[in-house]
Amino acid sequence: MRFNNIMENSELKISICHLYPDLLNIYGDMGNISALVNRLRWRDIDVEVVEVKSGGRVNYKKHDIYFIGGGQDQQQIMASIELQKNKDAIFKAAEDNNAVFLAICGGFQLLGHYYQPHQGNKLSGIGLLDAYTVAGTTRFIGNVTGKVNFLRQKTIVGFENHSGLTYLNPGCEPLMKVKIGNGNNGKDKTEGARHKNVFGTYLHGPVLPKNPEFCDYLLSLALRKRYNCDIPLLKLNDDIETFAHRDRVGARY
Ligand code: GLN
């Protein structure tokens, strides 16, 4: 399939940076990397995954998509320290290069300004998302259905497991409006956050396999960032993914 008479799918490539898989990788969040990789390869688009582990440095010019998963408080302490070392590079990637970010739960919390756990010091975030998180007294565990306005499907489903309560500062856009579940804090009906091509969410699952349209939306943003034009994605047979999605819409447990 040719785009603007320039390129075939097989000439396209996307680079994915997996941030701190040695620290933040619980509840199957790694499955989001598999969803991104497979939905590119099924379309004959080349893809590389580069892991940046503790002590590693981010090459902000290289990657089109950045992924950071969830983790328990202890791992978040270490991830907070590591993220500060790469803060400038991450900001350049997101703000100057329009790279796509997907941050899940603990990783989402650390893209905000801070996370204040029950015990110990406040964990510094990098402030890429204008939000903050404080420890709550209740653990939110269960299925979530949210309404979105940027996908044809209009819903995103997933599984939440967090005690942190995230609050969006005025002007910070939520990812979705909660219809079933708790979302950011169980009160204001927001779930996740979005800034430019940066997406944060509490949804595990992993979130992308059950939301193929959301996955393709991220891939389209990444292709536009890399090639400066809209590249249509070949339609895939998503019967299984759509069945899984519809099965969870409206489900509580
Ligand atoms: N420790 C954080 C919380 O409980 C994040 C947990 C997670 O990443 N699932 O809110």
Side-chain angles (χ1 to χ4, degrees):
M1 185 173 179
R2 299 197 69 77
F3 307 102
N4 308 332
N5 298 317
I6 304 170
M7 305 175 84
E8 290 280 356
N9 263 29
S10 56
E11 297 169 82
L12 299 174
K13 179 171 183 176
I14 288 292
S15 177
I16 299 174
C17 177
H18 188 174
L19 293 166
Y20 310 118
D22 54 329
L23 297 173
L24 297 175
N25 183 17
I26 54 173
Y27 308 122
D29 289 338
M30 187 93 153
N32 292 304
I33 296 278
S34 301
L36 291 164
V37 167
N38 284 323
R39 293 186 75 82
L40 285 166
R41 285 187 176 148
W42 290 336
R43 292 169 166 122
D44 196 23
I45 297 174
D46 189 15
V47 54
E48 67 169 7
V49 180
V50 175
E51 293 186 341
V52 171
K53 296 182 177 177
S54 303
R57 307 299 289 176
V58 167
N59 176 353
Y60 73 91
K61 292 178 182 171
K62 181 176 173 62
H63 307 299
D64 310 295
I65 298 175
Y66 293 78
F67 175 76
I68 183 167
Q72 297 306 342
D73 290 13
Q74 192 52 42
Q75 287 76 20
Q76 283 184 280
I77 293 169
M78 293 183 277
S80 165
I81 295 164
E82 289 301 320
L83 277 168
Q84 297 306 319
K85 297 176 190 171
N86 281 303
K87 179 175 179 177
D88 289 349
I90 289 170
F91 261 81
K92 285 190 179 107
E95 298 292 357
D96 301 348
N97 295 354
N98 285 318
V100 174
F101 281 73
L102 179 63
I104 310 292
C105 202
F108 164 37
Q109 294 170 344
L110 294 177
L111 290 199
H113 297 294
Y114 63 81
Y115 168 49
Q116 175 60 67
H118 273 300
Q119 281 96 28
N121 299 328
K122 188 186 283 187
L123 304 187
S124 297
I126 59 171
L128 192 55
L129 292 169
D130 191 9
Y132 63 92
T133 301
V134 295
T137 53
T138 308
R139 190 153 198 88
F140 294 146
I141 299 177
N143 285 290
V144 174
T145 299
K147 292 285 282 181
V148 295
N149 55 19
F150 61 91
L151 299 176
R152 188 183 43 77
Q153 195 155 40
K154 299 296 178 220
T155 50
I156 289 181
V157 296
F159 188 84
E160 65 181 336
N161 182 341
H162 61 102
S163 60
L165 305 174
T166 295
Y167 298 94
L168 309 183
N169 286 324
C172 181
E173 181 186 348
L175 176 62
M176 64 187 97
K177 183 173 173 55
V178 174
K179 305 309 278 182
I180 298 283
N182 297 282
N184 285 334
N185 50 55
K187 294 191 185 71
D188 64 12
K189 292 294 181 190
T190 65
E191 199 298 319
R194 178 180 184 177
H195 167 67
K196 295 180 75 173
N197 287 347
V198 179
F199 298 82
T201 179
Y202 272 110
L203 299 193
H204 297 286
V207 65
L208 292 183
K210 284 200 288 281
N211 300 281
E213 201 184 333
F214 182 35
C215 187
D216 285 354
Y217 183 77
L218 299 179
L219 294 177
S220 295
L221 290 174
L223 286 164
R224 186 190 305 157
K225 171 259 180 202
R226 188 172 181 123
Y227 295 103
N228 292 315
C229 67
D230 287 325
I231 295 178
L233 288 174
L234 298 177
K235 184 160 176 45
L236 298 174
N237 177 339
D238 285 334
D239 291 350
I240 296 173
E241 294 84 350
T242 302
F243 175 82
H245 180 96
R246 288 177 178 161
D247 177 67
R248 291 294 87 194
V249 171
R252 285 188 179 278
Y253 298 101

